Amino acid sequence: MMISVDEAWGLICSAAQPLSSERRSLDSALGSVLAEDVIAPVDLPPFDNSAMDGYALKAAETQGAHAQRPVTVAVVGEVAAGSWQDAPVQPGTAVKIMTGAAVPPGADAVLMLEAGRLRQGAVEIREPVAPGTHIRRRGEDVRRGDVLLEMGTPLNVQRIGLLAGSGIAEVRVHRQVRVSLLATGSELVTDGRPLKPGQIYDSNRIVLRTLIEQAGGACDDLGIVPDDPTMIRAQIQSGLRSDLFLISGGVSVGAHDHVKQVLQALGMETLFWRVNMKPGKPLLCGRLGEHWVFGLPGNPISCVVGFLVFIEPLIRRLKGEQDAQPRSTRALLKKDVSKKDERRHFMTAHIAPGTDGRLEATPTEKQGSAMMQALAQANAFVIVPEDRTSLEAGEPVDVLRFHD
């Protein structure tokens, strides 16, 4: 029985649970997802410090400063980043200070270096300096005990920088999703070897392997297996050490499409088979014990659409992004498109900002589940809903992105 795209995704969401967690150093945590809240162990900044190279002083002493009547204070020391001064700044004096250095006690402002004129050990101040000028206060960014990052947060470069700046060397994250990848088809040839009559080059494995890695999964490529049920079964069994098994080809209703029958014989619980979408209708999803199993159609664009709609967001959920959804956005359609049936259509397109900054989507000239050049020209898919037979140029539409 064929189900809708939304129903299929709902079945996946209801069964998807984050994988177990592990502690990992920041050096290897990029792209992983936090399995617990991270509590700030220190204030950020940990002490009052200077935002500029300049002079730490008492702001009240500068209030009468004027270009014609400068205020002069003696420069009695210097504080560099990484050093510390316990002695308070005395009235009538200033301390030269470098960016990031701790503001000595008694000072409540910093005069920028270029705003003062240093003469014979004293600095001339030609305009008033307000209290707090160019001082970054202790804890103004983060207070010790605050939630620094919440559970479920993906770790990008910026967040790893925040953790490192807080003195955190390792974090608890969900482990990486392991994905086994297998292509089926007696017609498939790889490595650029000469084609025999009836053969074609395999592109699905390298495309899917790249998409898996971009989604944060670790891919175990099991290669190509011919349309032989015994050989397919052996390869599937060898790959069941992974969290997710991804099979390209062999899931339709042809005489040589054996994948569904082999998986059922192995005890797979089918969540759905055949989805009301184009391309990618004969898509299979099930559970084999603790393992997720997907059978994708062999046509290249069908593979990519099925991966982006269902598998990429599932991988993100398994690694801890509990609310992950397919990566869709809105764009203005640049030309008319139409379809003839009531399936949800995904049309190869290129999206880019227009002259006004709004995102625009231009469908490729050619459309079809095997159009590799159209796929190469695209970075997204225009989505034509089930209840529409056409979309007009200029209207906002949903688009499915290849990546962020």
Side-chain angles (χ1 to χ4, degrees), residues 20-249:
S20 59
S21 64
E22 61 188 15
R23 295 204 69 81
R24 196 179 300 172
S25 70
L26 292 190
D27 290 338
S28 60
L30 182 65
S32 57
V33 178
L34 288 172
E36 62 184 10
D37 291 346
V38 178
I39 306 302
V42 295
D43 291 329
L44 291 181
F47 47 81
D48 291 355
N49 70 89
S50 178
M52 296 282 180
D53 292 340
Y55 303 94
L57 43 70
K58 294 179 179 294
E61 296 183 345
T62 73
Q63 297 313 300
H66 190 273
Q68 280 71 45
R69 297 183 304 277
V71 171
T72 301
V73 295
V75 178
V76 297
E78 179 175 310
V79 184
S83 63
W84 189 270
Q85 177 176 312
D86 287 319
V89 173
Q90 298 298 322
T93 69
V95 173
K96 193 172 184 180
I97 192 167
M98 305 304 161
T99 302
V103 177
D108 61 358
V110 172
L111 173 73
M112 285 194 303
L113 194 67
E114 55 268 34
R117 180 180 295 178
L118 187 63
R119 289 185 174 181
Q120 298 179 341
V123 61
E124 291 184 354
I125 305 165
R126 296 175 175 269
E127 60 182 27
V129 181
T133 299
H134 302 313
I135 293 179
R136 296 182 289 219
R137 294 298 183 187
R138 174 177 179 170
E140 72 176 22
D141 187 5
V142 176
R143 288 285 187 185
R144 179 182 177 183
D146 286 351
V147 176
L148 199 61
L149 292 172
E150 294 182 344
M151 179 179 66
T153 301
L155 293 180
N156 56 20
V157 172
Q158 306 93 294
R159 292 162 185 158
I160 286 178
L162 173 62
L163 294 169
S166 301
I168 295 170
E170 63 176 25
V171 286
R172 180 164 293 281
V173 298
H174 294 283
R175 64 173 177 81
Q176 191 174 31
V177 182
R178 300 185 298 267
V179 184
S180 291
L181 175 62
L182 177 66
T184 69
S186 300
E187 76 280 12
L188 297 178
V189 175
T190 190
D191 300 328
R193 288 177 289 177
L195 295 175
K196 296 177 182 178
Q199 292 184 327
I200 60 172
Y201 289 117
D202 170 48
S203 64
N204 286 347
R205 279 173 43 252
I206 191 168
V207 170
L208 290 171
R209 189 165 65 234
T210 303
L211 289 171
I212 290 165
E213 291 167 355
Q214 285 182 349
C219 184
D220 180 16
D221 190 346
L222 302 178
I224 299 171
V225 64
D227 294 316
D228 178 281
T230 302
M231 297 179 69
I232 292 171
R233 181 186 180 107
Q235 283 294 78
I236 290 174
Q237 289 177 314
S238 73
L240 286 180
R241 56 187 174 274
S242 62
D243 304 298
L244 191 156
F245 202 120
L246 187 53
I247 305 166
S248 165

Side-chain angles (χ1 to χ4, degrees), residues 354-401:
T355 55
D356 61 358
R358 291 190 293 177
L359 204 59
E360 297 176 343
T362 305
T364 59
E365 196 65 35
K366 296 179 180 179
Q367 296 288 332
S369 60
M371 295 291 184
M372 291 296 292
Q373 189 174 46
L375 183 63
Q377 296 166 348
N379 60 2
F381 293 91
V382 168
I383 302 173
V384 186
E386 293 89 336
D387 60 353
R388 297 283 299 273
T389 57
S390 64
L391 299 174
E392 296 181 357
E395 70 174 295
V397 295
D398 290 321
V399 295
L400 177 69
R401 298 174 297 176

